[in-house]
Amino acid sequence: MNDVIVEFKDLGFQYRAQAKPTLYNNNLTVKKGEKILIAGPSGCGKSTMASLINGLIPFSYKGEITGSLLIKGKESRDMSMFDISHIVGTVLQDSDAQFVGMTVAEDLAFALENDCVEQGQMKNKVQEVAKILNLDQVLRHAPSELSGGQKQRVSVGGVMASDVSLFLFDEPLANLDPKTGKSAIELIDELQKRTGAAVIIIEHRLEDVLHRPVDRIVLMNGGRIVSDTTPDELLASAKLAECGVREPLYLTALKYAGVEIRPEMHPASLHDLVLSRQDEEKIRSFFIKNQKGKRALPEGNLLSVKNLSFTYEKTEKQTLKDISVDIGKGEMVAIVGTNGAGKSTFSKVVCGMEKESAGEISFAGKDFSDYSIKERAEHVGYVMQNPNQMISKVMIFDEVAFGLRLRGVPEDEVKERVEKALEICGLYKMRNWPISALSYGQKKRVTICSILVLEPEMMILDEPTAGQDYRNYTRIMEFLKELNDRGITIVMITHDMHLMLEYADRSIVFNDGRIIADKTCAEVLTDTEIVDRASLKETSLYHLAGKCGIEDAAGFVQSFIDYERENVRK
Amino acid sequence: MKKILSVKTIVAIGIGAALFFVLGRFVAIPSPVPNTNISIQYGLLAFIAAVFGPIAGALAGLIGHFFIDFSYGWGVWWSWVIASAVFGCIMGFVTLKLKIDEGEFDVKGIILFNIGQIVAHLLAWVVVAPVLDILMYQEPANKVFLQGITGAIINIITTAIVGTLVCLAYSKAIPKKGSLSEEN
Amino acid sequence: MNNLFNYIERKSPIHELTGATKLVCLFLWSFAAMTTYDTRLLVVLAVLGIALFPVGRIRLKDVSFMLWFTLVFLVLNTVLVYVFSPHHGTEIYGTCTYLFGLSGHFAPTAEQFFFQLNYILKYFATIPFVLLFVCTTNPSEFAASLNKIGVSYSVSYSVALALRYIPDIQKQYHEISQASQARGVELSKKASLISRLKSASAILVPLILSSMSRIEIISNAMELRCFGKNKKRTWYMAQKFKVLDYVSMIVCALLLVASLVLTHINGSRFFNPFK
Ligand SMILES: Nc1ncnc2c1ncn2[C@@H]1O[C@H](COP(=O)(O)OP(=O)(O)OP(=O)(O)O)[C@@H](O)[C@H]1O
Ligand SMILES: Nc1ncnc2c1ncn2[C@@H]1O[C@H](COP(=O)(O)OP(=O)(O)OP(=O)(O)O)[C@@H](O)[C@H]1O
Ligand SMILES: [Mg+2]
Ligand SMILES: [Mg+2]
């Protein structure tokens, strides 16, 4: 059990284009059968670390490596990409790009084809992997016919087919709905138990990964490993907060209640968490102290949608079925629901990017149907889910200024507004960089920034916080809140249940092209039928409340949010 | 035989052909002369050839154009498919010296790129395509030469605009060595 | 995906041929049709091609859209040939028989009509066969077939990649164009040519730049899974040759031979009834 798979010795790396190194003197060992989580703020070098392990650096990205990296005892610089690929199986963040085959079966077989495995044997192996991953029904499907969760499974299957001793996952949970995310983590866990291989997971959603135990958490900040220890040890320290990484919500609640967290309490899992009488008492009294009244709902409709239906060209199934919903002026609402439920499609239809097959859309009393995309965009700003679709300029500054310039805003005002928006999105220091040098989370922020700067009457943000660290998450969401307080209507599509609870007045739940609920967020999450049908998940705060015998779990969550709003976010 | 084509070139051929297809099939703007479209896909092909070299240019043009004909179902018009490949290939050779993928594309580069594309287009559409048309299909000479010349002129104009713009944008998107640092 | 090239999944003897066979047949057939202008052989090819449709269980309805396109193209081309070279037929056949007692540059001649009849026949000799190929060949198998008939696997895989990513790029083009319209780019159809080119570049630049990063990600993903490791590779979708495969290839080869022989006998590519 003791063979070392990967070993870093004073490893550092500097990208060719960068003036300073991205990684400095890191030491790390990964042994067979271990499961390790790498966490850290956006842009701290996690993906760079992954590229070093799987050989993309130096074989694909150029730059300067210092120190040494041993893979199964051999210096990685002396190995070929193929040698490394037989040891390390990588599941990239972008499961679309990783899907190179024309159908699921071909993609699962890809590595085998390259190893010249004979066809009969290959078919058996593909069947076997498909069965394990529950993909045998969709073997002949093209990537466009799969849901996000299924694509994720295919990319896992693609590396499973060849027996590797280390699995590397770069942000496997981004864009998955809560329930699918949960099963992805379970899948990884089973995978490891079945193969006995080591697993490295890079992820911002710490709490979700900890749904199944990990051996160690490696915390990175600014290109350095700042901590490498067991989850219990790390969670009991203040290091996560120092680095701007979100700790599990239930721990934050404990801290607010004045409970001191020690490793012996097993803070890594709410299920195993040991709380003393006094601790529980502290939590209960925190709840009572902080109960507050609810915010009144605003009046007057801004966007009003009636009996909307929509079908994509060349498909048979209706994607949106008879949708009716009103969104009031000055509201901040969340749209949630299963992967593939039609949330993004709904936003596109509202913005005129797709033409509804039936139904009416009106905005501030005017019929929207005769408006072009451009005219609608003057009222409704839409930040798309995938940042790559929105970026049209080369440099960050130009991209954010693009919309303002097209609207004929004078150049000095453009400069002022753009710089302010860049500041909010944490990009000011990089304003003169080309967008191609950014990490995924940074790109997403550029697109948010380029719509923020236009200040439309209503904004729709598709997964605004996917791939963001806690610091940027807070900064962006607080700014949206500020805009909302100034009367701008905000619609957020999200898979993050706590974001919904914290910021939305109301939540609209999509399932299979229909709206199955439209009520306050707390009501949605306490309705088990809806939670189940829409693949949602209660946050751990609900379970913490249960553990401490607080019956009004929704009220507990609300007091947590109010407390945070008053004492922490200022 | 080994490593004539790197994996990146292979992917570039595939994606280049797919782009060529999408632009040629769905974005074509009809021109005054029938059967000739204002096709912006040659700007793209010139760019692919300039970045990834003559083999990539030739194959991306060949595969992309083949698919366009193929998807219309009117049979593959080989003479023009081959002319597309010839254009990609010549373009790749002429621009071998350019280092767009290292972020260099200055005035000299623009001039070289454009002279190259003019020569390549003329050879492809005024020489290769009509001659093959006559050899393979016995088409009347004046018809095919007129089609060829119109095609060449339009393609030269679109490549000059679209191709140059894309090259400029791409070279700007590539940061120079050690040039990125955070500023306040 | 399968929609793009109109692949229609049915059970028929033609569907069951391997992709490689169909590809070889397509080449032989198009070559046969390309070399000859002999009316008799062209008629045979046209009739045979159309007769294969019921065998492949493809109905007219399935291909009507493509057929329309082709017909429009054909009519245009026929008119063009006449406008540009009303005497092309006369030159080829060496005689000049004016019809309807007319004479002059644009006067109709029997030779011109005969030439243009052959010209049209030539379309009918190839198009049905190509359409049939398109409808009965699974695109997934196409790349494997290329490799089988001797194209190197790297190039074959480029073809596979192109087929795989065409729908994605199409979708992305659509989305980028919408996104830039939402930001205020004008894409009106009435704009002038130059401004249309300019707005086309406004979409093209982001499309191509993102494709460049796509190239990088895909080639990384492929290398991480050992693409290019060996001199050969196997194909999940490859199929073995059966008897019918050999028979089909032989028949098509014979057609090509017939075409070459006829050219030899006629002394030119044309069958000349005017001598
Ligand atoms: N190809 C590249 N060329 C130059 N700089 C790069 C390149 N890729 C990444 N960087 C820089 O290196 C730093 C670390 O990037 P990396 O992708 O490793 O971050 P990350 O921790 O994975 O972030 P995220 O959580 O947002 O994905 C970033 O500041 C980024 O700008
Ligand atoms: N361009 C398209 N053409 C055809 N079908 C599409 C297209 N875009 C999306 N779909 C299909 O429409 C359905 C709804 O997709 P949509 O993107 O709206 O889901 P979503 O709710 O945003 O999911 P996610 O949470 O994964 O982003 C899915 O089944 C998807 O496969
Ligand atoms: Mg990353
Ligand atoms: Mg979506």
Side-chain angles (χ1 to χ4, degrees):
Chain A
M1 268 311 269
N2 224 12
D3 28 358
V4 175
I5 297 175
V6 175
E7 188 173 6
F8 291 5
K9 285 186 190 148
D10 285 329
L11 186 70
F13 180 72
Q14 177 170 1
Y15 281 103
R16 194 179 154 274
Q18 293 283 0
K20 278 201 250 145
T22 298
L23 294 178
Y24 302 88
N25 301 30
N26 290 302
N27 292 294
L28 178 71
T29 352
V30 181
K31 293 188 189 126
K32 189 156 189 272
E34 272 189 315
K35 189 171 170 196
I36 291 178
L37 167 61
I38 300 184
S42 170
C44 71
K46 301 181 298 296
S47 300
T48 310
M49 187 98 102
S51 308
L52 277 160
I53 296 175
N54 61 28
L56 286 180
I57 298 175
F59 294 107
S60 177
Y61 297 111
K62 296 293 164 229
E64 202 177 323
I65 306 179
T66 54
S68 96
L69 167 59
L70 303 176
I71 295 182
K72 283 210 167 164
K74 269 197 258 168
E75 187 63 50
S76 78
R77 265 170 276 195
D78 306 331
M79 300 168 80
S80 76
M81 185 93 190
F82 308 125
D83 298 338
I84 299 179
S85 300
H86 279 282
I87 301 171
V88 182
T90 312
V91 179
L92 296 172
Q93 172 171 357
D94 191 344
S95 51
D96 251 329
Q98 175 138 357
F99 199 132
V100 290
M102 232 172 299
T103 59
V104 173
E106 284 166 85
D107 193 66
L108 293 180
F110 185 74
L112 302 173
E113 291 178 326
N114 296 330
D115 270 333
C116 293
V117 175
E118 181 266 323
Q119 202 184 30
Q121 207 183 329
M122 184 149 67
K123 292 212 158 143
N124 292 337
K125 185 85 194 182
V126 167
Q127 278 298 338
E128 190 191 313
V129 171
K131 197 150 264 138
I132 296 172
L133 295 176
N134 205 1
L135 287 168
D136 30 4
Q137 299 302 314
V138 292
L139 275 179
R140 292 167 63 85
H141 285 212
S144 60
E145 297 161 349
L146 297 180
S147 75
Q150 283 171 327
K151 271 186 209 159
Q152 193 88 39
R153 280 163 186 271
V154 175
S155 34
V156 174
V159 290
M160 238 172 102
S162 44
D163 307 295
V164 293
S165 18
L166 171 68
F167 286 97
L168 186 59
F169 294 88
D170 196 350
E171 306 209 18
L173 302 182
N175 291 322
L176 293 189
D177 66 43
K179 210 200 245 159
T180 317
K182 199 168 143 191
S183 51
I185 288 297
E186 286 163 7
L187 177 75
I188 294 174
D189 200 52
E190 279 159 33
L191 180 71
Q192 187 199 20
K193 293 210 175 101
R194 180 188 295 270
T195 58
V199 170
I200 297 180
I201 305 170
I202 297 174
E203 191 45 74
H204 287 286
R205 286 157 68 177
L206 209 64
E207 182 173 341
D208 292 331
V209 178
L210 290 176
H211 170 60
R212 285 291 164 94
V214 305
D215 296 314
R216 271 154 52 209
I217 300 181
V218 173
L219 182 66
M220 293 182 66
N221 196 8
R224 290 190 170 85
I225 294 180
V226 292
S227 156
D228 176 6
T229 174
T230 62
D232 286 338
E233 290 281 348
L234 178 69
L235 292 176
S237 74
K239 286 208 176 103
L240 283 177
E242 280 164 23
C243 297
V245 175
R246 168 160 251 171
E247 60 191 355
L249 278 171
Y250 58 90
L251 291 182
T252 317
L254 289 177
K255 284 182 186 162
Y256 289 165
V259 177
E260 190 199 347
I261 295 162
R262 282 158 288 114
E264 310 85 75
M265 291 161 69
H266 296 301
S269 147
L270 182 56
H271 188 257
D272 302 332
L273 182 71
V274 186
L275 289 177
S276 68
R277 271 284 138 73
Q278 289 142 306
D279 293 341
E280 288 186 11
E281 195 45 53
K282 277 184 187 164
I283 293 165
R284 276 193 292 271
S285 62
F286 166 77
F287 169 52
I288 294 158
K289 253 198 326 239
N290 287 292
Q291 251 180 324
K292 278 261 165 58
K294 289 211 175 75
R295 191 178 145 170
L297 283 183
E299 282 159 37
N301 282 344
L302 189 60
L303 178 74
S304 166
V305 173
K306 280 206 191 68
N307 306 106
L308 186 76
S309 296
F310 172 76
T311 311
Y312 277 105
E313 243 176 86
K314 288 192 192 160
T315 56
E316 274 135 45
K317 215 174 129 252
Q318 264 194 343
T319 307
L320 298 178
K321 298 163 193 160
D322 197 21
I323 294 214
S324 299
V325 67
D326 292 318
I327 292 172
K329 188 163 167 47
E331 262 193 297
M332 194 152 175
V333 300
I335 298 183
V336 295
T338 342
N339 283 126
K343 305 180 295 295
S344 303
T345 308
F346 173 72
S347 329
K348 284 187 192 163
V349 174
V350 168
C351 296
M353 299 182 174
E354 301 288 352
K355 181 81 188 126
E356 67 274 7
S357 38
E360 289 161 32
I361 305 172
S362 67
F363 188 85
K366 285 170 299 221
D367 185 8
F368 231 21
S369 53
D370 297 332
Y371 282 40
S372 69
I373 299 183
K374 189 183 154 200
E375 285 160 342
R376 292 188 198 199
E378 277 159 25
H379 304 284
V380 184
Y382 175 36
V383 181
M384 291 176 147
Q385 189 165 3
N386 178 354
N388 292 327
Q389 279 153 13
M390 286 187 63
I391 290 169
S392 48
K393 293 283 165 190
V394 176
M395 310 302 285
I396 295 178
F397 187 94
D398 296 339
E399 175 66 26
V400 179
F402 188 47
L404 290 176
R405 285 181 180 153
L406 278 171
R407 270 154 225 219
V409 177
E411 195 59 26
D412 43 342
E413 193 189 330
V414 168
K415 187 156 188 289
E416 189 188 323
R417 280 168 73 175
V418 169
E419 285 182 352
K420 177 156 172 284
L422 284 170
E423 188 77 61
I424 289 158
C425 295
L427 293 165
Y428 182 74
K429 288 177 176 171
M430 304 169 191
R431 63 191 178 281
N432 293 322
W433 291 20
I435 293 169
S436 60
L438 297 184
S439 77
Y440 186 85
Q442 290 167 331
K443 272 192 202 161
K444 180 87 195 185
R445 268 183 272 150
V446 172
T447 60
I448 296 177
C449 195
S450 61
I451 298 293
L452 277 184
V453 78
L454 298 174
E455 304 197 358
E457 289 156 71
M458 177 171 162
M459 282 180 73
I460 305 181
L461 299 108
D462 208 339
E463 311 265 0
T465 56
Q468 303 297 336
D469 59 45
Y470 190 48
R471 190 173 294 143
N472 285 304
Y473 164 102
T474 323
R475 198 148 45 177
I476 292 169
M477 289 314 298
E478 286 301 310
F479 182 69
L480 288 178
K481 179 121 192 67
E482 202 184 305
L483 286 179
N484 183 241
D485 292 340
R486 297 210 318 249
I488 292 175
T489 313
I490 309 266
V491 178
M492 306 162 288
I493 300 177
T494 186
H495 289 306
D496 183 338
M497 295 296 110
H498 189 68
L499 180 143
M500 166 181 103
L501 286 166
E502 189 174 359
Y503 290 98
D505 306 323
R506 168 161 81 102
S507 102
I508 300 169
V509 185
F510 273 68
N511 177 249
D512 193 22
R514 288 179 206 282
I515 292 181
I516 57 168
D518 179 357
K519 9 183 182 184
T520 67
C521 308
E523 279 167 351
V524 164
L525 279 192
T526 38
D527 185 332
T528 38
E529 197 216 320
I530 292 174
V531 166
D532 200 49
R533 272 175 67 195
S535 296
L536 307 178
K537 205 177 77 180
E538 292 107 355
T539 63
S540 58
L541 290 179
Y542 282 77
H543 301 292
L544 180 65
K547 214 173 163 102
C548 300
I550 298 171
E551 263 173 37
D552 179 14
F556 178 70
V557 175
Q558 192 55 47
S559 54
F560 174 88
I561 292 168
D562 291 339
Y563 176 85
E564 195 160 62
R565 168 118 299 124
E566 251 161 56
N567 301 297
V568 188
R569 307 259 160 87
K570 264 204 210 142
Chain B
M1 176 63 216
K2 236 187 130 195
K3 292 283 159 199
I4 291 181
L5 293 175
S6 68
V7 175
K8 202 160 179 173
T9 316
I10 293 168
V11 179
I13 295 170
I15 300 291
L19 276 168
F20 187 93
F21 174 86
V22 171
L23 296 181
R25 180 75 159 81
F26 300 102
V27 193
I29 310 167
S31 85
V33 177
N35 291 341
T36 31
N37 283 327
I38 297 186
S39 24
I40 48 176
Q41 73 264 37
Y42 288 100
L44 160 90
L45 186 57
F47 166 72
I48 293 282
V51 176
F52 295 99
I55 302 182
L59 287 173
L62 186 84
I63 297 170
H65 199 150
F66 177 83
F67 281 156
I68 291 180
D69 278 9
F70 201 78
S71 73
Y72 280 119
W74 57 41
V76 178
W77 204 254
W78 283 107
S79 45
W80 290 57
V81 173
I82 291 171
S84 280
V86 167
F87 169 74
C89 186
I90 298 175
M91 198 59 211
F93 273 114
V94 179
T95 53
L96 270 180
K97 275 221 197 81
L98 287 182
K99 289 198 186 111
I100 301 179
D101 52 345
E102 284 173 25
E104 289 171 23
F105 192 63
D106 48 7
V107 180
K108 253 163 75 189
I110 294 176
I111 293 170
L112 180 66
F113 178 85
N114 279 294
I115 292 178
Q117 65 102 349
I118 291 172
V119 173
H121 271 311
L122 287 177
L123 279 175
W125 307 110
V126 185
V127 181
V128 176
V131 168
L132 286 178
D133 261 345
I134 294 168
L135 287 180
M136 294 204 242
Y137 302 99
Q138 290 284 334
E139 296 235 8
N142 47 3
K143 169 184 173 252
V144 290
F145 278 110
L146 183 88
Q147 279 181 341
I149 290 169
T150 346
I153 294 173
I154 292 171
N155 287 342
I156 286 171
I157 298 173
T158 55
T159 311
I161 300 176
V162 176
T164 314
L165 269 178
V166 173
C167 288
L168 275 174
Y170 180 64
S171 66
K172 231 179 24 170
I174 294 189
K176 302 256 174 356
K177 184 166 193 261
S179 66
L180 296 181
S181 56
E182 300 191 342
E183 30 189 327
N184 286 312
Chain C
M1 147 88 250
N2 291 343
N3 271 347
L4 183 67
F5 291 108
N6 223 1
Y7 169 60
I8 300 165
E9 196 165 339
R10 293 207 179 112
K11 271 218 157 329
S12 87
I14 300 190
H15 282 80
E16 259 160 42
L17 293 175
T18 71
T21 307
K22 276 178 276 192
L23 200 59
V24 170
C25 288
L26 179 73
F27 279 119
L28 292 172
W29 186 291
S30 347
F31 215 71
M34 206 157 71
T35 38
T36 190
Y37 253 103
D38 189 298
T39 321
R40 298 160 296 188
L41 184 62
L42 287 178
V43 170
V44 170
L45 287 174
V47 171
L48 197 60
I50 292 166
L52 282 174
F53 270 67
V55 181
R57 312 231 351 243
I58 300 298
R59 289 175 284 253
L60 193 64
K61 190 174 94 220
D62 298 327
V63 295
S64 58
F65 173 74
M66 289 192 284
L67 221 49
W68 262 114
F69 239 95
T70 316
L71 282 180
V72 171
F73 185 78
L74 176 59
V75 169
L76 267 175
N77 241 342
T78 318
V79 172
L80 264 190
V81 168
Y82 193 86
V83 170
F84 278 100
S85 288
H87 293 287
H88 201 61
T90 330
E91 283 160 30
I92 288 169
Y93 296 109
T95 55
C96 182
T97 325
Y98 282 113
L99 294 176
F100 317 121
L102 297 169
S103 66
H105 186 63
F106 281 108
T109 62
E111 288 80 5
Q112 184 68 10
F113 274 147
F114 190 67
F115 168 72
Q116 297 217 307
L117 173 74
N118 281 311
Y119 189 85
I120 292 170
L121 263 178
K122 223 167 146 100
Y123 275 84
F124 278 98
T126 40
I127 288 161
F129 196 81
V130 174
L131 279 179
L132 193 69
F133 179 83
V134 173
C135 294
T136 58
T137 308
N138 186 344
S140 294
E141 211 204 318
F142 194 72
S145 333
L146 277 176
N147 190 211
K148 196 160 188 169
I149 63 171
V151 179
S152 84
Y153 83 77
S154 346
V155 177
S156 307
Y157 212 81
S158 298
V159 175
L161 281 174
L163 285 168
R164 156 74 180 85
Y165 283 98
I166 283 171
D168 283 27
I169 288 180
Q170 218 176 322
K171 191 165 154 214
Q172 198 179 14
Y173 176 83
H174 187 64
E175 278 163 339
I176 291 178
S177 104
Q178 290 170 336
S180 51
Q181 284 177 67
R183 304 275 288 280
V185 172
E186 193 60 73
L187 280 175
S188 150
K189 296 216 157 59
K190 286 171 216 109
S192 72
L193 190 64
I194 297 290
S195 66
R196 262 196 275 175
L197 276 176
K198 251 167 99 184
S199 46
S201 332
I203 302 171
L204 209 59
V205 169
L207 181 69
I208 291 178
L209 290 185
S210 69
S211 300
M212 293 303 282
S213 59
R214 201 191 280 255
I215 289 175
E216 184 160 308
I217 298 170
I218 297 169
S219 59
N220 286 345
M222 283 168 63
E223 272 190 279
L224 284 175
R225 284 153 81 192
C226 296
F227 184 86
K229 180 182 168 197
N230 298 309
K231 287 214 169 129
K232 278 198 319 214
R233 91 194 276 279
T234 46
W235 300 80
Y236 184 82
M237 292 298 289
Q239 285 184 13
K240 290 220 164 56
F241 282 135
K242 293 190 216 81
V243 179
L244 200 57
D245 288 288
Y246 292 109
V247 173
S248 322
M249 281 190 277
I250 291 171
V251 170
C252 289
L254 286 177
L255 284 172
L256 177 60
V257 171
S259 161
L260 295 175
V261 169
L262 275 175
T263 306
H264 186 73
I265 295 175
N266 290 341
S268 85
R269 289 162 65 186
F270 295 90
F271 164 67
N272 192 343
F274 298 100
K275 268 202 185 130

